[in-house]
Amino acid sequence: MLRMLLSELQRCRWEAAPFKEACQLLDTATYHCGLLMAQCPAALDRQLCQHHLEAIMAPLKQATVQLSGSAKRTSASHSASPARRLRSWLGW
């Protein structure tokens, strides 16, 4: 599941390349997902796992907000924008 999350984060990061602020946030989320994968399961306790999940979610939420604003400024014909796919994948 973490590999799927990492793959999706990397894809979203690649597609958000024109949006530098969102890219930085997605890089942070990707970094923490990589740390979580590297430490899983042997070095993780509940508190450390929760820390990494929060460190992934916080920048994702910020990136979603930024990309949503950027998507509104771009053409409405982009039905599969990075922000929309990210929100859909996260179940928002």
Side-chain angles (χ1 to χ4, degrees), residues 6 9 25-37 52 56:
L6 183 61
L9 287 171
L25 294 165
L26 290 168
D27 285 341
T28 300
T30 301
Y31 170 77
H32 281 281
C33 185
L35 283 177
L36 185 57
M37 283 182 61
H52 282 302
I56 293 167

